Amino acid sequence: MGRARRARQERQGEKTAGSRAGGWGKYAAAALAIVALALAASRLLVRTQVNWKDGSPAWSPDGRRIAFYSERDGNAEIYLMNADGTGVRRLTRSRADEGYPAWSPDGRTISFDSDRDGNFDVFAMDADGSNVRPLTRHGARDVSAVWTPDGTSIVFMSDREDGGFDLYRAAADPSAAATRVTRTGSAWFPVFSPDGTTLAFHVGRDVHTMRLPSHVERPASGGELRRLTTDPANGMYPSWAPDGKRLAFMSWRNGKTEIFTMNADGSDQKTLVSMDRGDAIDPRWSPDGSRIAFVHMPDGMNGSAAIVCTVNADGTALRHLR
């Protein structure tokens, strides 16, 4: 399942040319400028007026590619593209509903959710889409996995106990036992801090963090929760900056869903992306810290389109990808 779908459930003339050519040159320059603007607008419309949903952008560790899920060919499948939106190609081909890709730290493996066996579990494949294999097997729903920094284990959401989603930790092996990390009944979308000591996720409608034990040889429960946002100034779907000093997250505190950033202790919360039309959800910080990928839903959470975008970490140079 992709984050865009879950978010819907939880609520997501140039003077020189003119002077050279005289009066007519000015008009010509102005006309050319208008044509250029019109062409730019048409390219933007081509990119934003789509009738499918893309979501859950995940940067490769080297920052050169983005994995994502898309419904462009019917059911939700995992795709890969270059970080500028070119070179889109489909990685999975099944009749199942698949989503939430995540890269292993070495960049060789992509995990994802799939109900290809009749129930949602976490699967993995090589980065070229080959060698698909399960990472979990359970009668409950296991989804939204992230890799531990050493690549040996995963932390994922599951409703295997008490009916609500909590976080579990297990070796990346379908036969491995899983240890429950949280006991909230509503813990969503974990992400590891760059140093691997802390998880960020949202509980209900607020971002929380939790430190984990220093050892990773044996799955272990987490520590005390720290709340960073307070509904109605809510926060969801956090993402760490690579230096560990800030988090990006989404919030609808201003009446529509926007991308915010804050310090790792919850201070200095400020808007980064606010779209003129629709909602901005699901931010993901690039490995070099220069950009943030997110999902634009031009017609809002209930609309038929969702497009992966990137923006500089200072909020400039927003770009819609394919």
Side-chain angles (χ1 to χ4, degrees):
M1 292 185 290
R3 288 192 185 190
R5 286 171 288 155
R6 293 196 187 109
R8 294 197 303 274
Q9 296 168 1
E10 296 181 70
R11 276 228 299 257
Q12 220 182 314
E14 196 176 50
K15 291 182 180 179
T16 335
S19 61
R20 277 200 309 264
W24 286 108
K26 294 179 182 178
Y27 294 127
L32 287 171
I34 292 170
V35 170
L37 287 171
L39 288 172
S42 68
R43 286 194 294 269
L44 181 60
L45 288 173
V46 167
R47 287 186 181 271
T48 58
Q49 291 184 353
V50 298
N51 58 359
W52 65 74
K53 292 182 174 68
D54 296 342
S56 297
W59 297 90
S60 62
D62 62 9
R64 298 173 60 187
R65 295 169 292 171
I66 296 175
F68 62 103
Y69 91 88
S70 179
E71 299 174 4
R72 63 185 64 196
D73 292 324
N75 61 310
E77 299 276 4
I78 306 301
Y79 289 72
L80 189 65
M81 63 181 166
N82 297 327
D84 63 359
T86 63
V88 177
R89 62 191 183 96
R90 186 171 169 178
L91 294 184
T92 62
R93 295 185 179 273
S94 76
R95 295 180 180 180
D97 194 16
E98 298 172 333
Y100 202 83
W103 295 80
S104 62
D106 62 9
R108 297 178 179 177
T109 304
I110 299 174
S111 63
F112 61 99
D113 306 340
S114 179
D115 63 351
R116 59 179 59 202
D117 292 338
N119 177 72
F120 271 103
D121 276 298
V122 179
F123 286 75
M125 59 184 165
D126 292 352
D128 62 359
S130 64
N131 190 26
V132 177
R133 65 272 189 191
L135 294 185
T136 69
R137 283 201 184 278
H138 197 277
R141 292 174 293 176
D142 295 345
V143 294
S144 305
V146 291
W147 297 79
T148 55
D150 65 359
T152 63
S153 303
I154 55 174
V155 172
F156 56 95
M157 292 166 48
S158 181
D159 60 355
R160 57 179 64 190
E161 299 177 57
D162 304 330
F165 277 106
D166 269 294
L167 305 184
Y168 291 76
R169 184 175 181 175
D173 185 318
S175 64
T179 296
R180 191 171 178 174
V181 175
T182 64
R183 295 184 177 275
T184 68
S186 179
W188 298 77
F189 303 111
V191 287
F192 270 101
S193 61
D195 64 4
T197 66
T198 305
L199 282 172
F201 47 94
H202 67 262
V203 176
R205 306 203 306 186
D206 283 307
V207 174
H208 290 65
T209 57
M210 171 187 283
R211 289 188 64 83
L212 293 179
S214 58
H215 63 279
V216 296
E217 293 82 4
R218 179 189 178 100
S221 297
E224 185 178 352
L225 284 173
R226 182 178 185 180
R227 187 174 181 172
L228 302 187
T229 67
T230 304
D231 192 40
N234 52 55
M236 303 171 73
Y237 306 93
S239 175
W240 292 92
D243 62 5
K245 295 179 179 180
R246 290 187 68 78
L247 289 158
F249 62 100
M250 64 173 245
S251 175
W252 59 85
R253 62 186 66 183
N254 296 327
K256 64 178 180 177
T257 311
E258 302 164 312
I259 306 301
F260 286 73
T261 61
M262 63 181 166
N263 291 333
D265 63 0
S267 62
D268 191 28
Q269 298 186 16
K270 55 188 179 184
T271 309
L272 179 73
V273 176
S274 182
M275 305 300 290
D276 292 336
R277 173 187 169 196
D279 295 306
I281 69 170
D282 196 7
R284 310 284 187 96
W285 226 302
S286 67
D288 65 0
S290 66
R291 290 170 293 171
I292 292 173
F294 67 96
V295 177
H296 178 207
M297 305 190 76
D299 299 315
M301 293 293 185
N302 296 317
S304 60
I307 308 139
V308 175
C309 304
T310 58
V311 66
N312 288 346
D314 62 1
T316 63
L318 189 151
R319 180 175 184 176
H320 286 78
L321 307 183
R322 293 183 63 177

